[in-house]
């Protein structure tokens, strides 16, 4: 799931210091500690006070449900369903609960590590570094089956040849589970049964399980994604921004553009179909900023990049995975005349904060609105591409029509000089 994603505006932290008056119509306590804590946090910190009335109604409905009211003795499944329902009533991005049975939990807890810093050593002993065992894939359900929706560049799955669009039949003979399939198997090889084409016999691919540190893995994936292909005698570069939340995400891109694999490209395709947003709101300055690029040269000849600016053609790819900080990035490119190819962005642009709940699940809650320029809001709207291109996940076998369309757009730009 990507619908509920992280925020990135530092101003959101200031809201945590503001006192909030109690409401006369606050819902009663259910006695279930996780459910009640979610309700308290929403009532105290959710950014849109006008949504709280319908939230309170949803909470009361769950507590008064004649078939299964939420009480202190409610089952875990009932509590999970109730929390999902009341949070959905807020109809906002950057708002959701995540449990340690999915990759989202580990990625988000690493992204929001500062907010839960007092608990990290307990959650991830002994170093306090968020990590999970896996092979670097994310799956999405479609038509009753699970399909690989993301393969992190440079991951064990990438090296093994697993492709986006592959149906996951099993892992080591058991149904695929994001976390349990790789539990206690670090360093081991797992057999992943995949169906690459509809109706075809499954194939088996072996991949080595690694301990993955989310932000570190994202930085590596950004770096490994940088490639150059030749078309019509021109060099077209490509890089994918999986997230802007890694501390060095844009440094990695700048390094590849200035001195790495992309430095001799005639144009570059920037892929904003990410996992999470985050980052600083001026990240796109690398491509649209007007300050001069410069570098520092030390006595021994070593060069330090101080300010990188890419002044050659750019095309960007967007889709529903472009959200939060990546939507700000896309908006900045679009307003500067850089063509966008793909599908509408997520329309998920609020500032979120993380809260650890009593059962160690993670609540992400929208605590601030976000406005671009004078009055532009992308929440619930998103950004439309200049050149629409659709992507069908099941059995795509690694084919990427959106990337193909972006490369064609770049070929057109380069041909026009």
């Amino acid at each position: 799931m990507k619908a509920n994603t992280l925020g990135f505006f530092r101003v959101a932290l200031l809201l945590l210091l503001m006192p909030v008056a109690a409401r006369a119509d606050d819902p009663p306590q259910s006695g279930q500690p996780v459910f009640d804590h979610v309700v308290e946090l929403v009532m105290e910190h959710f950014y849109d006070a006008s949504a709280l009335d319908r939230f309170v109604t949803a909470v009361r409905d769950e507590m008064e449900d004649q078939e299964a009211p939420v009480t202190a003795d409610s089952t875990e499944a009932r509590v999970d369903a109730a929390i999902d329902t009341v949070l959905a009533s807020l109809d906002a991005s950057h708002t959701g609960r995540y449990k340690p049975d999915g990759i989202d939990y580990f990625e988000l807890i690493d992204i929001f590590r500062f907010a839960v810093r007092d608990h990290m050593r307990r959650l991830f002993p002994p170093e306090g570094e968020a990590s999970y065992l896996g092979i670097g894939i994310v799956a999405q359900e479609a038509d009753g089956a699970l399909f690989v929706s993301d393969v992190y560049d440079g991951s064990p799955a990438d090296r093994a040849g697993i492709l986006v669009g592959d149906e996951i039949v099993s892992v080591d003979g058991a149904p695929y589970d994001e976390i349990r399939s790789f539990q206690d198997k670090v360093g081991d090889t797992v057999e992943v049964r995949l169906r690459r084409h509809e109706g075809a016999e499954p194939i088996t691919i072996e991949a080595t399980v690694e301990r993955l540190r989310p932000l570190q893995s994202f930085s590596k994936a950004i770096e490994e994604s940088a490639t150059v292909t030749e078309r019509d005698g021109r060099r077209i570069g490509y890089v994918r921004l999986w997230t802007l939340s890694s501390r060095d995400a844009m440094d990695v891109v700048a390094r590849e553009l200035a001195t790495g694999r992309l430095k001799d490209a005639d144009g570059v395709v920037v892929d904003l179909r990410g996992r999470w947003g985050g980052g600083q709101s001026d990240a796109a300055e690398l491509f649209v900023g007007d300050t001069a690029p410069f570098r520092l040269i030390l006595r021994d000849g070593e060069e330090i990049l101080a300010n990188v600016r890419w002044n050659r053609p750019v095309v960007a790819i967007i889709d529903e995975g472009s959200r939060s900080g990546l939507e700000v990035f896309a908006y900045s490119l679009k307003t500067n005349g850089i063509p966008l190819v793909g599908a509408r962005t997520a329309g998920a642009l609020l500032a979120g904060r993380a809260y650890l709940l009593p059962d160690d699940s993670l609540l992400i809650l929208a605590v601030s609105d976000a406005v671009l320029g004078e009055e532009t809001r992308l929440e619930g709207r998103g950004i439309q591409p200049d050149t629409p291109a659709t992507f069908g996940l099941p059995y795509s076998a690694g084919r990427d029509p959106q990337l193909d369309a972006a490369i064609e757009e770049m070929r057109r730009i380069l041909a026009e000089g």
Side-chain angles (χ1 to χ4, degrees):
M1 293 176 59
K2 299 187 199 173
N4 302 313
T5 59
L6 67 154
F8 63 93
F9 293 103
R10 295 176 182 174
V11 69
L13 297 178
L14 298 177
L15 299 180
L16 305 179
L17 304 177
M18 297 173 60
V20 179
R23 291 166 49 95
D25 57 349
D26 280 353
Q29 297 281 300
S30 71
Q32 210 295 322
V34 180
F35 182 83
D36 288 345
H37 196 45
V38 168
V39 173
E40 291 168 5
L41 289 170
V42 170
M43 297 300 294
E44 291 175 8
H45 300 296
F46 186 67
Y47 85 103
D48 184 4
S50 69
L52 295 183
D53 285 340
R54 66 173 181 269
F55 175 75
V56 170
T57 298
V59 170
R60 292 184 183 278
D61 287 346
E62 292 301 313
M63 293 176 59
E64 297 170 3
D65 189 308
Q66 293 184 357
E67 295 184 1
V70 177
T71 66
D73 299 324
S74 294
T75 64
E76 181 179 353
R78 176 67 187 107
V79 174
D80 292 347
I83 291 174
D84 288 345
T85 297
V86 298
L87 291 178
S89 73
L90 296 169
D91 192 24
S93 68
H94 301 75
T95 299
R97 175 177 173 240
Y98 301 86
K99 299 175 66 176
D101 57 358
I103 292 173
D104 288 359
Y105 174 86
F106 297 92
E107 293 182 343
L108 287 170
I109 208 166
D110 202 13
I111 288 167
F112 284 100
R113 61 198 175 281
F114 181 78
V116 296
R117 61 192 180 280
D118 294 338
H119 303 275
M120 292 297 284
R121 288 190 180 276
R122 176 179 63 81
L123 294 173
F124 303 101
E127 296 91 354
E129 295 287 342
S131 66
Y132 65 97
L133 300 185
I135 59 174
I137 62 172
V138 180
Q140 180 178 316
E141 186 175 350
D143 301 326
L146 284 173
F147 295 89
V148 177
S149 57
D150 290 302
V151 179
Y152 294 160
D153 296 276
S155 67
D158 184 30
R159 298 194 300 268
I162 295 175
L163 301 178
V164 169
D166 287 347
E167 179 189 348
I168 306 176
V169 178
S170 65
V171 176
D172 281 346
Y176 169 71
D177 180 271
E178 287 186 337
I179 302 301
R180 289 194 298 270
S181 289
F182 311 107
Q183 194 170 0
D184 301 323
K185 296 180 182 179
V186 62
D188 295 343
T189 297
V190 292
E191 292 188 347
V192 186
R193 294 274 284 170
L194 304 166
R195 183 174 287 110
R196 185 149 292 169
H197 304 286
E198 188 172 9
E201 285 297 313
I203 60 175
T204 299
I205 291 181
E206 295 185 346
T208 302
V209 177
E210 293 183 357
R211 181 166 294 281
L212 303 175
R213 292 186 173 178
L215 292 186
Q216 189 179 90
S217 297
F218 282 133
S219 293
K220 177 182 178 182
I222 293 170
E223 183 176 8
E224 292 290 332
S225 74
T227 55
V228 175
T229 58
E230 288 209 15
R231 300 290 179 90
D232 308 321
R234 302 295 186 96
R235 297 176 297 275
I236 300 177
Y238 168 87
V239 64
R240 182 167 185 176
L241 287 174
W242 286 96
T243 183
L244 297 177
S245 295
S246 299
R247 286 187 291 269
D248 59 348
M250 293 309 298
D251 291 337
V252 170
V253 177
R255 195 164 56 243
E256 291 296 329
L257 291 171
T259 62
R261 284 166 283 192
L262 305 177
K263 67 183 178 64
D264 295 322
D266 296 299
V268 66
V269 173
V270 182
D271 194 340
L272 303 181
R273 298 174 298 179
R275 274 284 287 165
W276 309 105
Q280 297 182 346
S281 57
D282 62 353
E285 290 290 305
L286 176 59
F287 297 100
V288 300
D290 56 7
T291 57
F294 70 97
R295 63 190 186 279
L296 303 175
I297 304 176
L298 305 183
R299 177 173 176 170
D300 61 3
E302 180 186 356
E303 295 188 0
I304 300 174
L305 299 175
N307 183 33
V308 176
R309 289 292 181 265
W310 179 261
N311 296 316
R312 281 164 265 172
V314 179
V315 173
I317 310 175
I318 58 172
D319 73 352
E320 65 279 0
S322 309
R323 62 195 66 248
S324 192
L326 289 174
E327 284 190 282
V328 177
F329 201 112
Y331 177 84
S332 298
L333 297 184
K334 189 179 182 73
T335 55
N336 281 274
I338 292 174
L340 306 181
V341 175
R344 187 178 71 88
T345 62
L349 188 57
L350 298 172
R353 190 194 189 282
Y355 302 88
L356 200 67
L357 298 174
D359 63 347
D360 287 336
S361 61
L362 191 70
L363 175 69
I364 306 297
L365 187 65
V367 296
S368 176
D369 196 1
V371 181
L372 295 172
E374 293 296 325
E375 56 183 24
T376 300
R377 285 180 169 83
L378 298 181
E379 177 71 11
R381 297 183 178 91
I383 302 170
Q384 293 290 348
D386 302 292
T387 303
T390 59
F391 177 81
L393 177 62
Y395 310 111
S396 56
R399 294 184 298 272
D400 191 341
Q402 292 174 333
L403 175 57
D404 293 341
I407 290 176
E408 285 304 307
E409 177 66 13
M410 179 59 74
R411 289 178 66 187
R412 182 191 65 78
I413 292 172
L414 294 175
E416 292 178 354

